[in-house]
Amino acid sequence: MAEYEYEYDQEYMGQEDEWEREGLLDPAWERQQRKTFTAWCNSHLRKAGTQIEEIAEDFRNGLKLMLLLEVISGERLPKPDRGKLRFHQIANVNKALDFIASKGVKLVSIGAEEIVDGNTKMTLGMIWTIILRFAIQDISVEESSSKEGLLLWCQRKTAPYKNVNVQNFHTSWKDGLAFCALIHRHRPELIPNYHELRKDDPYTNLNLALDTAEKHLDIPRMLDPEDIVNTARPDEKAIMTYVSCYYHAFSGLQKAETAANRICKVLRVNQENERLMEEYERLASDLLEWIRKTIPWLENRTRDNTLPGTQHKLEEFRDYRRKHKPPKLEDKSKLEIIFNTLQTKLRLSNRPAYMPSEGKMVADIANAWKKLEFAEKGFEEWLLAELRRLERLDHLARKFKHKSDIHEEWTEGKEVMLQDTDFKNCNLYELKALRKKHEAFESDLAAHQDRVEQIAAIAQELNDLEYWDVVTINARCQRICDQWDRLGALTQKRRNALDEAEKILERVDQYHLEFAKRAAPFNNWMDGAKEDLVDMFIVHTMDEIQGLIDAHEAFKMTLPEADKEFNAIMMCITEVQRIVQQLDLKGVTINPYTNITGEELKQKWQDVNNLVPQRDSVLQQEMVRQQNHERLRRQFAQKANSVGPWIEKQAEAIATIGMQMQGTLEDALLKLKNMEAQIMAYKPNMDELETYNQAIQESLVFENKHTQYTMETLRVGWEQLLTSIARTINEVENQILTREAKGIPEEKLQEFRASFSHFDKKRTLALEPESFRQCLLSMGYHFNPGREGDAEFAHILGVVDPNGSGYVTFQAFLDFMTRETTDSDTAEQVMQSFKILAGDKPYITQEELRRELPPDQAEYCIARMTHYTGPDGIPGALDYISFATALYGESDL
């Protein structure tokens, strides 16, 4: 048949011209071709609802020939002539031949008249030309096409089978094993017992292959085993035609497998992204809920006004800092890592940026965390202030009781004494004595005015500081003030009475008067000295205790003069006793001007001298206590002055690596991992500082002039250091992920990083919009002038900062500069893949999804695909077009 071969197969056919011409005379070959070509034509015509019985007769009018060409090409031919005359038939056949020629096929010696006349040779030649053009020409394997490509495909597919050796399209297929091997290679379940087939049983092998292909692969039975086995050289064209059907059937399976793999890849990415989104939402909800519940506790300022209760609150706060907050800090860092990783994966897979639920943005969590830390700081300051206040209240309450006890002891019986009418029954001398005694009492009363005012002032301060038992304090203070008012009124009343009787009664005892005048203030001085010597005090520094010691030393310097005054006062008593003894007087030994006795003065003077060394001891003990406090301050300061600079140095080193890294990203990541290990190994130093800080707080030490660092600032610095190292490691890992996904050279990354770092003036690892614009200009990016350029830049800013945070990270900058280098999937590609699985239908069924995809991903698609609503749908049809579009649109989360 070389005479009607098309032009690109002339070399192959030219080599076998002689054999071909001989074959045309062989009825067996003609019978084989007629049956094979008829079956091949019917395999396509049945798609149009028709078939042929006799190939030479049924194509004579040209109608089914044109229909065959339309089916196999997918194109419309000119409208056929419906007449039954010969010229109508010739016109139709010419339309078919013209269409074949338009596809690049050079027909030789084939005319419409021969086909209309039923010339079997010409008809078979024409059908073979069609088979070559539409079934074999497009086969391409490793730069070989047509027959060579089909033969190479057979050789590659049957290479693993030792009992098969395909070298041609005639004798290599006689034993039937090559057909069985092709089926077993692609669908091993169809011929599970292939290893049991024998080369010496060709009929069994051929029948098995032909039946299996017809039943399971929809390939008609185009050959007869008898024609192949009983012919020395089976017809090559028949074999090629039948084998090409195998190629097209299995290449469709390969396309379906490729499409399924693409869909699996896309779904795996989408499932992982959804898992990260769900984990982010869960962690964010838990963290925000914990912060929401914790802040009211930190803002609670309810007082129980007891020192033990407040100390218990401080211990609960320490437990919160050590046990409850650190895990939440790890969750916060994990949230940032998940968010950054998710955004990077979404960008690399050509999906829109992830927008968390309202109120769960990274910025929202950061703001909530800041509010938590602000509440922590305020709560700790309030607790320490409350401790100082309660200590002050306790001191004032004890001081109030002490002074009140002394005052009430002094006033005991004074009202009865002032109401006494003894002056009505005394003589002038006694009256004058009573008058002088009353004057001394008035002097004593005036001296006690300061003490009453002190008691009232202390009570007022306890009220101002909200002392818990202020009701009792106020009641006692009111009793003292009321009694003091009564004493004043009674004193004035008695003085008036004595003045009225003074005109009658005069007698003065100079010694008693001198004693009374000097003894009363001295007695008051001793009372005040005793009160000062046993007075309680509270100090917080060595300077304060040193001031008390200096004041006590100054008091001791006044004791010699006081001793002289004491001896002078006691001299008055001695003189009275001398006169009494000398003159043997009766009733004059009792001093009529004062109730103070010499024994009382002597006892108080002895008490004062005994209290002085006791006061020395108390002050020295307090000095030792303050020295211990100073040791605690220096101990904390020495450690803090070491830890603080270390934290600052590590933070600076992390920032330097983040933007000025030397070497590859892997080198930088290794450095950061090593730094992270060093930081975690440094944790015992922070624990040691916490121990020192606890000892300081338990000792109620509040100021430390030896260091600028507080435990609060060191905690914040430590937490920021942990967050910084975790975030920087994540950013470098994302840069590695971006570099690997986009194939960016290391030198290009260094260039991007150097330009970004140049414009990052504040060293915040992020650029403000104007700095980002200048950076783009420096990299050669051109913006149009005026509003058009502003709109272009606003669009770019929306891409690199989709959340509107007001800054551009290096990762977002890197993604933008390399955005066109990624070979990512698109919605159109995914739709085309589903279309292949669906067999070109606009919908897909659950059975097709379960057959082509793994079980978990098939169920994933079924659960999310909507029902197909088109007019050509069937019950249970699913809409894969809207599903593929949704994959690259907004996420359900």
Side-chain angles (χ1 to χ4, degrees), residues 151-341:
L151 181 62
L152 183 59
W153 178 79
C154 295
Q155 292 171 343
R156 292 287 185 268
K157 296 299 181 180
T158 59
Y161 300 86
K162 297 181 179 179
N163 53 357
V164 176
N165 182 18
V166 177
Q167 296 297 326
N168 50 51
F169 285 106
H170 36 80
T171 56
S172 296
W173 303 84
K174 292 188 65 174
D175 58 10
L177 289 177
F179 294 111
C180 293
L182 286 176
I183 297 174
H184 185 265
R185 177 65 183 275
H186 293 90
R187 296 285 299 275
E189 75 277 7
L190 299 181
I191 306 180
N193 58 342
Y194 177 87
H195 62 281
E196 298 176 3
L197 300 178
R198 303 195 315 274
K199 197 175 185 69
D200 58 355
D201 190 7
Y203 285 97
T204 299
N205 300 339
L206 289 166
N207 281 315
L208 176 61
L210 294 170
D211 293 339
T212 301
E214 183 177 30
K215 181 178 180 181
H216 297 285
L217 302 180
D218 200 24
I219 299 174
R221 193 180 180 96
M222 300 180 183
L223 303 173
D224 283 331
E226 294 77 12
D227 294 337
I228 298 174
V229 175
N230 297 330
T231 303
R233 186 170 183 156
D235 181 58
E236 187 175 45
K237 294 179 176 57
I239 298 294
M240 285 179 64
T241 301
Y242 185 65
V243 172
S244 70
C245 294
Y246 277 55
Y247 173 87
H248 290 294
F250 291 137
S251 65
L253 289 178
Q254 186 174 2
K255 290 181 181 177
E257 180 180 358
T258 302
N261 290 337
R262 177 180 289 274
I263 293 173
C264 290
K265 172 188 172 186
V266 172
L267 294 179
R268 280 196 298 272
V269 171
N270 206 63
Q271 288 172 317
E272 176 61 15
N273 291 342
E274 288 186 1
R275 184 191 67 77
L276 289 175
M277 292 177 190
E278 292 170 355
E279 184 175 4
Y280 178 91
E281 293 285 329
R282 179 183 60 79
L283 285 176
S285 298
D286 293 347
L287 182 58
L288 289 172
E289 179 64 15
W290 177 81
I291 292 174
R292 185 187 66 79
K293 292 180 178 179
T294 304
I295 287 179
W297 173 68
L298 294 172
E299 292 176 345
N300 184 12
R301 298 295 186 268
T302 304
R303 299 171 173 170
D304 62 359
N305 282 320
T306 63
L307 197 60
T310 304
Q311 290 172 338
H312 178 69
K313 283 187 176 181
L314 182 60
E315 190 60 33
E316 287 181 342
F317 181 72
R318 292 197 189 103
D319 286 341
Y320 156 79
R321 273 279 180 77
R322 296 172 183 168
K323 299 177 183 178
H324 303 294
K325 184 182 177 185
K328 298 302 178 183
L329 178 64
E330 294 178 1
D331 288 346
K332 176 176 174 290
S333 178
K334 186 177 180 182
L335 267 175
E336 295 178 357
I337 292 173
I338 290 175
F339 183 84
N340 293 334
T341 301

Side-chain angles (χ1 to χ4, degrees), residues 381-392:
E381 291 174 353
W382 175 77
L383 282 177
L384 296 178
E386 188 70 5
L387 284 175
R388 289 194 290 268
R389 185 183 71 85
L390 292 174
E391 185 185 28
R392 173 70 176 164

Side-chain angles (χ1 to χ4, degrees), residues 422-423 426 430-439 493-503 505:
D422 57 340
F423 60 90
C426 66
E430 291 173 341
L431 179 61
K432 287 187 176 183
L434 287 175
R435 190 175 185 280
K436 296 297 182 184
K437 181 179 179 181
H438 187 70
E439 290 176 353
K493 183 179 179 181
R494 184 172 177 82
R495 180 177 180 82
N496 293 337
L498 290 173
D499 288 340
E500 291 177 358
E502 187 179 12
K503 298 176 182 179
L505 304 175

Side-chain angles (χ1 to χ4, degrees), residues 9-69:
D9 204 27
Q10 288 179 352
E11 180 181 354
Y12 153 64
M13 296 307 297
Q15 295 173 352
E16 302 182 2
D17 278 345
E18 182 178 353
W19 168 73
E20 290 288 354
R21 286 191 294 271
E22 293 175 356
L24 290 174
L25 305 175
D26 188 342
W29 281 22
E30 182 178 325
R31 185 176 61 255
Q32 275 188 339
Q33 288 187 15
R34 184 185 296 111
K35 179 176 182 179
T36 300
F37 292 176
T38 300
W40 182 85
C41 292
N42 285 334
S43 69
H44 293 287
L45 288 173
R46 66 182 178 181
K47 297 177 184 178
T50 186
Q51 63 179 10
I52 61 173
E53 296 295 332
E54 174 54 44
I55 194 168
E57 290 294 324
D58 293 344
F59 282 142
R60 290 179 61 187
N61 62 6
L63 294 176
K64 289 187 177 180
L65 178 60
M66 294 178 68
L67 181 61
L68 173 65
L69 290 173

Side-chain angles (χ1 to χ4, degrees), residues 106-124:
K106 184 178 180 181
L107 298 172
V108 180
S109 301
I110 297 180
E113 291 78 9
E114 287 85 354
I115 304 300
V116 173
D117 293 337
N119 187 318
T120 301
K121 169 187 173 183
M122 293 301 176
T123 302
L124 291 176

